[in-house]
Amino acid sequence: MIALLLILTPLATGLLSILMTKGGFAKNFSLLASLVTLVIAIAAIQAPVAPAFDIVWLNNLGSRFTLKMDGMSKMLCLLTAVAFPIIFTSVYKNTYKNAASFFGLMLLTQAGLMGVFLAADALLFYFFWEFALIPVYFLCSIWGGEKRIAVTFKFFIYTFLGSLLMLAGILFIYFRTADHSFALQSFYHVNLSGKEQSLIFWLFFVAFAIKMPIFPFHTWQPDAYEQAPTATTMVLSGVMVKMGLYAVLRWLLPVFPLATAQFSNVIIILSVIGMIYASLIAIRQDDIKRLIAYSSIAHIGLMSAAIFSADKTALEGVMLQMFNHGINVIGLWIIADIIEQQLGTRKMSEMGGLAQKAPAMAILFVVMAFANVALPLTNAFIGEFLMFSGLFRVNMIIAAVAGVSIILAAVYTLNMVQKVIYGELGETAIKSTDIKLNVKLALVVIALAIIALGIYPQPMINLTNDSVVGLIIKK
Amino acid sequence: MNAIIFSAIMGVVMMFSGIITEKKSAISFVAVVALFILLAANIANTYGLCSISINTHDLLHFSKFGLYFNSILITAALIFVLLSGSAVEKVGNYAADYYALIFFVLCGTSILTSFNGLLMLFLGIEIMTIPLYILTGADKKNLKSNEASLKYFLMGSFSTGIMLMGIALVYGANGSFALTTPAAVPNSAGVIPVSFLLVGGYILLFVSMCFKVSAAPFHFWTPDVYDGAPTVFTAFMSTIVKAAGFFAFLVLFEANATLLGPSWKIMLTFVIIATLLIGNITAVFQQSVKRMLAYSSIAQAGFMLFALYTYNDLAKEGILLYAVAYCLATIGFFAVLVKVKDHSFDGFNGLAKAQPVLAFSAVVFLMSLAGIPLTAGFFAKYYMLAAVIKSGGSFWIVLVALVFAAISVYYYFKVIQAMYFKSGDPEIMEVSSGYKTAIVLVSLLVIAIGVLPSIVLNWFYF
């Protein structure tokens, strides 16, 4: 029941919020709703028995409304639940036209995301997979930047095509299951020949790869991140890309063990190419939003490579890093949003000396930047270290090449910090002021999480232990 | 039998109602009442309560499937009249006659859902299409409507000719109008001879049925006719009539698909792919929403043809669900389109601000047509594709269909973009609050079926 509440709360409050007429009230209401969801999520994680929910849904199709919450689901539900209050707090002072609809659609997105992370039935999973996308489509197209319509459309069609391919794959497996059921367990026990696996594997993988996104399916991403309203970009890059990673772990590796073994090298190589490629582009960026977008591709590439290395340590790292990257990148987007609002530009060449005007922001920005480089004592260090050590054990050369991206990350991130907050006071920065209380609050929460999880990550690693062991045994 | 008799009677009643009263809204009200009676009569027939039965010497066969399908069509007609009654009244001065023609069309569809011989198929098709020629040209003073009517009439009679030729050949081979073919006797060498008359006849029937359901490459009449006809009648033609045509197509070839051997699947695959390709690709380039919908209806026909490709339980349930989903969404969206004066995409700019309720409903209908989950259209497409995979059909045809489904998102969402993301001042006719309520109810029904398709399918098994 508590698992169902995780979906129902944002769904119901989101619909209510859309129907409201007063934007200011809807904003407070949504913030409160997201906090309630957070409380429910914490309660669900602390529950002694793993929360689950099961009810008849499409009986003649063999699909049930089944929700299950294991360690990996807990981690991602926690991320989803934590992300939204932080995002709502950080944009509290922003003004949106038709704010009630904006916050309502954001909450609907949250409901969809929760559903994706909880569904233990393939058709239900597909439903939520699409359901999460539709509010985002409206959010980006209505409140986005100048080129929003075309860019969002590209994003939508891209992901929709991917999910249709996945649907074909789901259908194929469904007819092969012994009991004609969409249940996760039936999918895990399905017997497919090597040839079938290698076809259906790609149908699923393309859908997930577009969502993550990994090279060469990433072309929608920088544009979409740039054009989306920043609050939505935070959801997209903080939580939504984790849908792809989660889906690979939940629906791809255990269902197609043969194909995974066969193609893992190809995918690891693609991921590493993507990492280096995205890092190099990030170095050349002048637009701060695009820089963060490309940096995000690089980080996701590492996680994808670590997943397909199928090493226990690496998988532990991936699970941890899914959470860490989520909050870190949200922190970076908050900073980027503030900078854009204060300076009226996203071009780093026109910035400089912001530290003099906004010392508090500068300190928090540096913390986020260090986490982006994965320096020790930040949460990202633990995750990336685990992933690299796993990768290293599987293939030393690939690990070494991938390791270059850490150096490149340091180059572009520190370069960004330097251009934005140090140096002489730029023309654009003269009138800027320090961050407001709500933003400070959001950033401080993230910074504390970065440091706390950087020093003592063990509880988080324990959280997903069962999923990691489960995945290793399935192999 | 109830539906056939009652629809014919109601048609006559409607004609005379024009003499008794001049008030158009009263005539619409009579039509709604008559449709309710027709629906009740058909449902009573389905469950064997007070049904009229006449010995037709096996020319008609009332199966549960056919009767249920007919109920769906009558319900769709009811929703159509409830939503678009006011638009029917505005077409011209002869509202009573239009309704009479609509009831005659329903008489034709009732025959088509129960025919058991080629003669009845022919009668049903003719009774259904002849009133349509008139309805297409109902906007007498509009040149486009006249042109469409004439075009439809010429092409329609031509295809009827082909159908008659096919029936004649089949009759020549079988010596009867029965749908089933007597098993061929092997000749002295032990080989079952191929009857060229029979095969030729069925190929001609196939062609003419493809024409009626506007499957490529026999679709050329569709865009012009749908575009030229008064919008409200386009909604009627492209939904109820088309679905009935599909049902007839399905029944006609259920017993005879094997006659054509392996070439049946090849022929059908060609038609399906061509229909999906032409419908979807051409729709992308349209400037007018109405014309786009004409091509989209061709594309949807491509999906419905999968039921012929497979012929299993899932396909049967699928065609029911497809008929419901497609009729609801198309009738609903046309009800929005009727209210917008400029039928180009730009005419929809800013509709969300001017008419939020209409725009929201339109989004639901368009998403259903595109097959997005949580709407009825998703399960319609789902069943069709599942049927193909279940029947062991080639997997690649499913992938091709899905790629086209993704393309269809492009043109459906162009309307959503115009309504929500572009600003403009659309010219809208007056929309009453009752109209809004009705249209929202239809859109909620589309969502409800999208969440629980069993609300449509369970009735079938009761």
Side-chain angles (χ1 to χ4, degrees):
Chain A
M1 195 61 208
I2 196 162
L4 184 67
L5 273 182
L6 273 178
I7 300 171
L8 276 189
T9 316
L11 183 68
T13 50
L15 289 175
L16 267 178
S17 172
I18 289 178
L19 293 176
M20 286 175 186
T21 44
K22 286 210 179 96
F25 182 72
K27 181 163 66 179
N28 291 325
F29 176 76
S30 303
L31 180 60
L32 190 69
S34 66
L35 285 171
V36 171
T37 313
L38 178 59
V39 172
I40 297 173
I42 291 170
I45 289 163
Q46 298 294 334
V49 191
F53 184 79
D54 183 54
I55 194 172
V56 180
W57 180 38
L58 301 166
N59 217 6
N60 21 9
L61 291 182
S63 175
R64 296 177 69 84
F65 194 97
T66 316
L67 306 174
K68 276 201 188 108
M69 203 174 187
D70 67 349
M72 187 165 48
S73 298
K74 281 181 184 167
M75 179 74 97
L76 285 158
C77 285
L78 182 66
L79 171 64
T80 316
V82 168
F84 278 81
I86 293 180
I87 294 170
F88 286 159
T89 315
S90 77
V91 299
Y92 193 79
K93 293 266 164 64
N94 292 12
T95 46
Y96 295 99
K97 61 167 191 203
N98 208 349
S101 301
F102 181 84
F103 287 100
L105 286 169
M106 289 287 278
L107 285 174
L108 289 185
T109 315
Q110 192 186 20
L113 287 164
M114 287 288 189
V116 167
F117 297 139
L118 288 169
D121 180 285
L123 199 60
L124 188 66
F125 169 77
Y126 179 77
F127 259 66
F128 282 121
W129 180 272
E130 293 288 353
F131 181 44
L133 180 64
I134 288 168
V136 167
Y137 171 70
F138 281 93
L139 282 168
C140 295
S141 299
I142 298 179
W143 288 276
E146 232 169 274
K147 288 181 290 177
R148 63 190 190 277
I149 297 178
V151 165
T152 313
F153 206 29
K154 180 178 168 190
F155 161 58
F156 186 82
I157 293 209
Y158 228 119
T159 41
F160 189 65
L161 179 65
S163 36
L164 282 177
L165 295 180
M166 172 171 75
L167 179 66
I170 289 177
L171 271 173
F172 187 91
I173 298 178
Y174 163 73
F175 283 109
R176 288 307 178 81
T177 52
D179 50 349
H180 281 276
S181 144
F182 285 102
L184 185 64
Q185 287 309 321
S186 308
F187 269 50
Y188 281 0
H189 291 121
V190 72
N191 264 325
L192 296 172
S193 71
K195 213 178 146 196
E196 286 166 345
Q197 285 203 12
S198 49
L199 169 69
I200 309 296
F201 174 86
W202 286 104
L203 293 179
F204 276 77
F205 182 71
V206 168
F208 303 154
I210 289 172
K211 205 78 173 189
M212 285 197 254
I214 68 166
F215 180 84
F217 302 102
H218 66 281
T219 52
W220 61 267
Q221 192 247 35
D223 291 339
Y225 283 12
E226 186 190 346
Q227 294 297 325
T230 313
T232 312
T233 310
M234 293 174 204
V235 178
L236 275 175
S237 65
V239 192
M240 214 155 208
V241 294
K242 310 302 182 298
M243 274 165 70
L245 295 164
Y246 168 86
V248 167
L249 287 166
R250 176 75 77 216
W251 295 98
L252 199 71
L253 300 194
V255 182
F256 308 99
L258 296 175
T260 309
Q262 190 185 346
F263 297 119
S264 62
N265 276 333
V266 179
I267 293 167
I268 291 178
I269 290 171
L270 278 182
S271 309
V272 173
I273 292 175
M275 283 167 73
I276 304 290
Y277 169 80
S279 304
L280 288 174
I281 296 183
I283 291 176
R284 298 291 305 158
Q285 289 301 319
D286 191 32
D287 184 315
I288 189 166
K289 274 188 153 180
R290 288 186 84 84
L291 187 147
I292 300 172
Y294 279 108
S295 135
S296 182
I297 297 182
H299 286 108
I300 298 291
L302 176 59
M303 287 185 234
S304 150
I307 288 175
F308 281 93
S309 74
D311 177 88
K312 182 169 180 286
T313 323
L315 285 174
E316 276 175 353
V318 171
M319 307 249 179
L320 184 63
Q321 188 64 3
M322 280 202 281
F323 183 84
N324 291 342
H325 175 260
I327 57 167
N328 296 357
V329 84
I330 289 175
L332 278 176
W333 285 118
I334 295 176
I335 301 269
D337 188 34
I338 294 302
I339 292 172
E340 192 186 350
Q341 282 181 23
Q342 291 275 345
L343 309 183
T345 177
R346 291 201 301 258
K347 289 209 173 81
M348 290 189 294
S349 52
E350 294 170 9
M351 299 175 191
L354 207 55
Q356 301 169 26
K357 288 283 183 182
M361 190 211 78
I363 293 167
L364 291 164
F365 185 19
V366 170
V367 175
M368 308 294 156
F370 283 169
N372 201 43
V373 188
L375 283 190
L377 282 186
T378 64
N379 57 359
F381 171 74
I382 314 287
E384 296 212 347
F385 177 78
L386 289 171
M387 289 193 282
F388 270 112
S389 69
L391 261 184
F392 192 79
R393 221 171 298 160
V394 175
N395 191 326
M396 212 186 293
I397 298 170
I398 284 183
V401 177
V404 175
S405 80
I406 299 191
I407 303 170
L408 296 176
V411 173
Y412 60 73
T413 313
L414 297 178
N415 193 25
M416 169 175 75
V417 172
Q418 192 184 347
K419 277 184 179 164
V420 175
I421 61 175
Y422 298 127
E424 285 187 16
L425 195 60
E427 257 177 54
T428 45
I430 288 175
K431 272 182 277 173
S432 62
T433 51
D434 208 349
I435 44 179
K436 298 201 178 78
L437 182 65
N438 63 317
V439 181
K440 207 182 272 176
L441 190 67
L443 287 175
V444 164
V445 169
I446 294 175
L448 284 179
I450 287 174
I451 295 166
L453 292 176
I455 296 169
Y456 188 54
Q458 200 55 41
M460 296 299 263
I461 295 177
N462 290 346
L463 192 63
T464 56
N465 200 30
D466 61 336
S467 302
V468 173
V469 173
L471 278 168
I472 296 297
I473 292 170
K474 287 265 164 39
K475 260 175 62 70
Chain B
M1 202 75 202
N2 286 6
I4 300 175
I5 294 171
F6 273 92
S7 55
I9 294 174
M10 296 307 174
V12 179
V13 168
M14 286 315 299
M15 274 196 316
F16 282 101
S17 73
I19 301 174
I20 296 162
T21 173
E22 294 259 299
K23 254 183 89 182
K24 286 178 176 172
S25 56
I27 295 171
S28 290
F29 179 72
V30 174
V32 169
V33 172
L35 275 168
F36 265 115
I37 296 171
L38 186 58
L39 182 62
N42 193 59
I43 290 173
N45 200 170
T46 316
Y47 298 108
L49 314 160
C50 64
S51 51
I52 305 161
S53 62
I54 296 167
N55 185 3
T56 55
H57 298 281
D58 247 5
L59 281 173
L60 292 174
H61 171 68
F62 294 95
S63 66
K64 181 117 193 240
F65 184 43
L67 285 169
Y68 184 58
F69 199 84
N70 202 21
S71 295
I72 290 176
L73 295 183
I74 298 171
T75 314
L78 184 62
I79 292 174
F80 166 75
V81 174
L82 283 174
L83 268 182
S84 308
S86 55
V88 173
E89 293 158 19
K90 286 201 188 90
V91 173
N93 290 326
Y94 312 100
D97 295 356
Y98 305 146
Y99 282 121
L101 290 169
I102 285 174
F103 276 98
F104 292 139
V105 171
L106 287 178
C107 183
T109 59
S110 300
I111 296 176
L112 280 183
T113 50
S114 58
F115 74 96
N116 194 32
L118 297 176
L119 205 57
M120 275 304 176
L121 168 73
F122 176 72
L123 266 181
I125 293 265
E126 283 306 281
I127 294 177
M128 182 177 82
T129 41
I130 288 172
L132 283 181
Y133 302 146
I134 309 170
L135 287 178
T136 308
D139 193 0
K140 253 194 334 191
K141 287 170 192 146
N142 186 343
L143 211 59
K144 254 176 114 184
S145 171
N146 285 324
E147 183 199 328
S149 176
L150 186 65
K151 218 175 223 170
Y152 193 18
F153 175 66
L154 288 177
M155 301 283 260
S157 355
F158 190 65
S159 90
T160 306
I162 294 177
M163 172 177 270
L164 271 181
M165 185 70 198
I167 292 176
L169 290 182
V170 173
Y171 186 79
N174 284 349
S176 86
F177 288 119
L179 290 181
T180 47
T181 306
V185 189
N187 61 11
S188 52
V191 183
I192 297 173
V194 178
S195 163
F196 289 107
L197 277 183
L198 201 59
V199 172
Y202 272 109
I203 288 180
L204 289 181
L205 277 170
F206 179 76
V207 168
S208 68
M209 287 313 289
C210 279
F211 178 92
K212 295 292 179 202
V213 300
S214 61
F218 310 101
H219 64 282
F220 290 100
W221 61 276
T222 320
D224 289 342
V225 172
Y226 283 11
D227 197 18
T231 308
V232 53
F233 294 134
T234 310
F236 185 72
M237 269 198 288
S238 62
T239 52
I240 294 150
V241 173
K242 193 166 195 165
F246 259 103
F247 186 87
F249 205 169
L250 207 63
V251 173
L252 177 61
F253 279 91
E254 187 164 16
N256 299 302
T258 48
L259 270 181
L260 302 175
S263 42
W264 163 251
K265 282 250 156 115
I266 297 172
M267 198 162 75
L268 201 56
T269 308
F270 170 75
V271 170
I272 291 175
I273 303 276
T275 308
L276 287 171
L277 180 82
I278 290 170
N280 282 303
I281 301 292
T282 326
V284 166
F285 297 102
Q286 296 308 313
Q287 303 296 321
S288 144
V289 175
K290 198 175 168 190
R291 218 174 159 78
M292 177 277 278
L293 282 171
Y295 282 104
S296 106
S297 94
I298 297 176
Q300 302 278 353
F303 261 95
M304 284 192 248
L305 281 170
F306 277 118
L308 267 85
Y309 186 85
T310 50
Y311 277 118
N312 51 24
D313 306 348
L314 275 176
K316 263 192 169 171
E317 291 184 359
I319 197 82
L320 283 177
L321 203 57
Y322 215 112
V324 173
Y326 175 69
C327 286
L328 285 180
T330 310
I331 290 173
F333 187 70
F334 268 106
V336 176
L337 185 68
V338 165
K339 293 291 177 191
V340 180
K341 280 189 182 147
D342 180 4
H343 285 176
S344 70
F345 279 95
D346 290 336
F348 279 79
N349 285 355
L351 190 71
K353 216 168 200 174
Q355 287 289 349
V357 177
L358 281 194
F360 165 78
S361 309
V363 167
V364 174
F365 299 138
L366 289 166
M367 285 197 173
S368 179
L369 286 172
I372 308 262
L374 287 178
T375 59
F378 168 74
F379 276 110
K381 287 201 166 73
Y382 170 89
Y383 268 87
M384 288 299 165
L385 297 179
V388 176
I389 297 180
K390 192 186 181 190
S391 74
S394 56
F395 194 59
W396 66 265
I397 199 171
V398 175
L399 292 183
V400 171
L402 285 174
V403 170
F404 283 121
I407 293 174
S408 78
V409 168
Y410 178 82
Y411 52 82
Y412 291 128
F413 274 54
K414 245 165 79 174
V415 184
I416 298 182
Q417 286 179 352
M419 289 190 302
Y420 276 88
F421 315 143
K422 293 184 180 162
S423 49
D425 194 15
E427 281 182 71
I428 310 160
M429 287 177 214
E430 202 190 339
V431 186
S432 68
S433 58
Y435 195 83
K436 283 184 196 163
T437 320
I439 209 161
V440 166
L441 284 179
V442 176
S443 67
L444 290 181
L445 188 61
V446 169
I447 293 176
I449 297 171
V451 178
L452 277 176
S454 45
I455 50 181
V456 171
L457 296 174
N458 279 352
W459 285 103
F460 178 44
Y461 294 106
F462 266 110

